[in-house]
Amino acid sequence: MPSNLDLAVRALINGKQPPTVATVFGTYIRISGLDNEDANRSVLAFERALDKHPRRDDELEPVIARVRNDYWYTKLGGTDEGGGVCHTCEHCGTLSLPNQKHKHKGALKTRVTSKAGKHKL
């Protein structure tokens, strides 16, 4: 069963409209029946749909992957046009811009061996 995000992208492609962040967002809100007056809820629902969309081998995946990347690139502080690439941390999965660093929440302390051979945290 297709998700609302799938339906939104398919509607844009069938209507010969470009699937950009703006057009996918607007179509997603309409298809999912979200209230336009509650912007925070709509944005959170769209972000969750982008993040939770399963990676699969079909014709929509490259389009949704590009929209996902462009959305997060812009949201994380990239240019308004998108087009850059977000990087995913191999340790925690957090998205970031190539020049941004982040701290891992709850990161484990590294074991250090002292000169006496005892382990310290």
Side-chain angles (χ1 to χ4, degrees):
M1 182 167 161
S3 68
N4 287 335
L5 188 57
D6 291 331
L7 294 173
V9 171
R10 177 74 62 208
L12 290 168
I13 291 171
N14 290 343
K16 308 251 190 278
Q17 293 180 314
T20 64
V21 172
T23 60
V24 172
F25 178 75
T27 306
Y28 173 80
I29 297 305
R30 182 179 51 79
I31 287 174
S32 62
L34 292 169
D35 185 3
N36 286 333
E37 294 178 16
D38 191 353
N40 288 335
R41 183 171 170 236
S42 298
V43 169
L44 290 174
F46 182 67
E47 289 176 352
R48 182 166 172 80
L50 287 174
D51 288 345
K52 298 298 180 185
H53 189 269
R55 309 309 197 264
R56 56 183 188 236
D57 294 327
D58 66 7
E59 69 276 4
L60 296 181
E61 180 53 30
V63 176
I64 293 172
R66 184 180 44 77
V67 169
R68 179 188 308 114
N69 182 78
D70 288 351
Y71 176 81
W72 285 113
Y73 185 81
T74 303
K75 177 112 182 194
L76 292 171
T79 62
D80 287 339
E81 296 84 34
V85 177
C86 289
H87 292 275
T88 303
C89 176
E90 63 186 38
H91 301 288
C92 67
T94 300
L95 289 171
S96 65
L97 296 178
N99 59 351
Q100 289 179 337
K101 293 186 179 187
H102 70 279
K103 294 182 180 179
H104 297 104
K105 293 181 180 178
L108 298 174
K109 294 182 180 178
T110 308
R111 246 183 188 198
V112 178
T113 305
S114 68
K115 290 180 183 176
K118 296 182 180 177
H119 295 287
K120 303 186 281 187
L121 287 181

